[in-house]
């Protein structure tokens, strides 16, 4: 007797045969409206209470469109009650909502899980950049461009041009009111999401050119700086249903004065970086280190003049990720020059001589890395990692330190007149 096909299986079959409709359809989720997580210990019971978030769009009340992929049910919950204290650390208090309760000024369609998590990751970086107009563009939960500027439009332009190709379809987070100048720049290309504390008169009209752009207003963003040092419980579910709970990462290096001298002892000999970073390098090192908190490990960044130049993410070895960041910087600079000169992507330039001229300029500038700072979320186990950056002309490096062979990295810097400082804290993110 043939097996009866369930409604869920039928839906999955349709999705598998019609991929476009799978992206358009909103998943029904079976997650409850409320969730509680209780920690039981010597101090008694501590319960965190959550409420599912939904939006009414085109007359339909739903939560997240789907999870990381169509066909995956997902739900977003906001913390509505309970205070948790673990090991002396008190978690974020209820009611200080950011990405868990965004106000949708324009949507076109319901947000998905990735839209929310990308904006959340951008906010995690922006909280450290409150002192200046700043822009973070995130794609697949990693920043592809980050910058600060004298104006919001300048910050966004720098962040966008850091990796114009990856920024397409990304999530944009801005820490100032979006004025019409910034809105016009944003509207020049497609984005999935834009989040800001407010939008000036006329900005929404410009952004509405993209009907499916989710325009989010997050009023609490004006108080992002108050989230510095605040922690929360980070949950990771395992394949067998188990859960790892950890406190969220809190960087200790928040000012240039927090950097530590790069020094090490090896076989009784003392090694110390011969040159300290100058003020400009210090600012870029700090900027890069704080952007690094939102980048998947292993990672290496190159930053210059308050903007990312190349971002290498998720590689298994440190010299490899330093090379990935280098190679990306070369490719992105070539595309930037092509766009600014010919208003066309590098790969689409019809004349080979035009590409050859751009290639020569990219080599001359060493992908824009020359004069930049190098940032690593973990220590360099050998000098080959720092040598990648030094060959491209970096002038200063920051890393946690703590390798048995830190002396090698220090020697490499001293040989080339490159400054190096330590943070004394690793910044892995998985």
């Amino acid at each position: 007797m043939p097996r009866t096909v369930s409604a869920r299986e039928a839906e999955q079959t349709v999705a598998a045969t019609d991929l476009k409709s799978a992206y358009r359809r909103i998943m029904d989720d079976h997650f409850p409206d409320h969730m509680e997580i209780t920690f039981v210990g010597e101090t008694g019971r501590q319960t965190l209470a959550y409420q599912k978030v939904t939006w009414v769009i085109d007359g339909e009340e739903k939560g997240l469109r789907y999870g990381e992929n169509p066909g995956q049910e997902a739900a977003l919950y906001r913390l509505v009650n309970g205070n948790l204290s673990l090991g002396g650390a008190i978690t974020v208090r209820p009611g200080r909502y950011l990405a868990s309760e965004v106000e949708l000024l324009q949507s076109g369609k319901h947000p998905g899980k990735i839209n929310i998590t990308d904006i959340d990751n951008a906010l995690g970086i922006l909280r450290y950049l409150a002192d200046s107009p700043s822009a973070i563009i995130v794609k697949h939960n990693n920043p592809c461009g980050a910058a600060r500027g004298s104006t919001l439009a300048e910050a966004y332009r720098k962040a966008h041009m850091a990796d114009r190709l990856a920024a397409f379809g990304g999530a944009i987070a801005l820490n100032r009111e979006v004025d019409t100048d910034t809105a016009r720049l944003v509207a020049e290309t497609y984005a999935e999401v834009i989040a800001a504390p407010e939008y000036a008169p006329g900005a929404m009209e410009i952004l509405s050119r993209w009907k499916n752009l989710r325009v989010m207003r997050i009023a609490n963003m004006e108080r992002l700086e108050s989230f510095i040092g605040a922690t929360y419980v980070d949950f990771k579910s395992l394949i067998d249903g188990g859960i790892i709970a950890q406190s969220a990462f809190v960087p200790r290096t928040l000012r240039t004065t927090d950097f530590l001298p790069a020094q090490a002892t090896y076989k009784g000999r003392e090694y110390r970086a011969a040159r300290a970073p100058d003020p400009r390098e210090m600012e870029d090192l700090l900027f890069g280190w704080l952007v690094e908190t939102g980048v998947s490990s292993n990672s290496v960044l190159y930053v210059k003049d308050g903007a990312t130049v190349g971002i290498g993410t998720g590689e298994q070895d440190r010299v490899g990720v330093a090379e990935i960041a280098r190679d990306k910087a070369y490719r992105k600079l070539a595309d930037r020059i092509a766009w600014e000169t010919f208003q066309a992507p590098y790969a689409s330039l019809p004349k080979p001589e035009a590409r050859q001229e751009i290639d020569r300029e990219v080599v001359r500038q060493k992908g824009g890395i020359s004069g930049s700072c190098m940032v690593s979320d973990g220590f360099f186990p050998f000098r080959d990692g720092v040598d990648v950056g030094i060959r491209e002309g970096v002038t200063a490096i920051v890393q946690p330190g703590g390798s048995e062979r830190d002396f090698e990295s220090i020697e490499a810097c001293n040989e080339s007149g490159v400054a190096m400082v330590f943070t004394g804290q690793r910044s892995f993110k998985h």
Side-chain angles (χ1 to χ4, degrees), residues 26 41 51 70 86 100 102 105 167 174 186 220 244 251-252 379 387 390 394:
I26 303 174
Q51 183 180 52
L86 295 173
S100 64
V102 298
L105 303 184
L174 308 167
V186 170
N220 269 354
I244 295 175
R252 294 195 297 263
F379 64 61
D387 280 336
I390 290 172
V394 301

Side-chain angles (χ1 to χ4, degrees), residues 86-318:
L86 295 173
I90 299 175
T91 63
V92 172
R93 302 289 187 180
R96 303 172 67 210
Y97 302 129
L98 289 168
S100 64
E101 193 180 51
V102 298
E103 181 183 359
L104 288 175
L105 303 184
Q106 174 184 294
S107 54
K109 52 187 178 180
H110 284 73
K113 171 186 179 289
I114 292 175
N115 300 143
I116 300 297
T117 54
D118 279 354
I119 288 297
D120 182 67
N121 195 28
L123 294 176
I125 300 170
L126 276 181
R127 63 179 145 175
Y128 304 115
L129 307 178
D131 60 338
S132 60
S134 300
I136 309 292
I137 305 175
V138 173
K139 192 77 169 287
H140 298 300
N141 213 33
N142 271 301
C144 54
R148 58 198 341 165
S150 58
T151 66
L152 190 64
E154 181 192 12
Y156 172 75
R157 183 189 60 78
K158 289 166 64 176
H160 182 259
M161 294 308 295
D163 193 339
R164 190 185 60 84
L165 295 177
F168 181 86
I172 303 164
L174 308 167
N175 67 350
R176 296 290 192 275
E177 178 183 78
V178 177
D179 54 25
T180 54
D181 288 342
T182 306
R184 289 190 189 95
L185 291 173
V186 170
E188 288 178 357
T189 189
Y190 172 68
E192 282 274 334
V193 189
I194 179 172
E198 191 52 87
Y199 297 83
M204 285 300 304
E205 182 180 353
I206 296 169
L207 296 174
S208 66
R209 297 173 189 171
W210 297 97
K211 65 177 183 178
N212 285 329
L213 172 66
R214 286 88 159 184
V215 180
M216 299 178 177
R217 179 164 58 196
I218 304 178
N220 269 354
M221 199 185 296
E222 295 181 343
R223 300 192 293 274
L224 257 183
E225 201 169 6
S226 69
F227 284 79
I228 295 176
T231 190
Y232 55 88
V233 181
D234 186 10
F235 295 104
K236 168 64 178 177
S237 297
L238 306 181
I239 190 173
D240 61 0
I243 292 178
I244 295 175
Q246 67 172 1
S247 59
F249 176 73
V250 176
R252 294 195 297 263
T253 303
L254 299 174
R255 297 170 296 275
T256 57
T257 53
D258 294 331
F259 287 127
L260 305 174
Q263 55 190 32
T265 302
Y266 184 73
K267 293 186 176 180
R269 180 181 170 185
E270 297 292 327
Y271 297 81
R272 178 183 288 268
R275 185 174 78 80
D278 64 30
R280 181 195 65 81
E281 291 167 336
M282 279 289 197
E283 290 300 323
D284 275 344
L285 289 170
L286 182 62
F287 169 77
W289 179 251
L290 296 175
V291 171
E292 179 70 273
T293 63
V295 182
S296 297
S297 301
N298 278 342
S299 58
V300 164
L301 318 182
Y302 299 108
V303 298
K304 186 177 182 180
D305 298 330
T308 54
V309 174
I311 301 177
T313 68
E315 178 59 25
Q316 291 83 357
D317 68 277
R318 195 146 300 278

Side-chain angles (χ1 to χ4, degrees), residues 29-36 49-54 61-63 75-80:
D29 77 81
H30 296 84
F31 291 95
D33 291 337
H34 299 274
M35 177 178 68
E36 291 185 350
Y50 299 83
Q51 183 180 52
K52 188 161 71 172
V53 177
T54 62
E61 183 174 358
K62 292 286 185 181
L76 170 65
Y77 290 91
R78 61 173 179 257
L79 177 63
V80 295

Side-chain angles (χ1 to χ4, degrees), residues 392-408:
E392 302 302 325
V394 301
T395 62
I397 299 173
V398 62
Q399 59 142 321
S403 167
E404 289 293 328
R405 306 187 72 82
D406 276 340
F407 75 96
E408 285 191 4

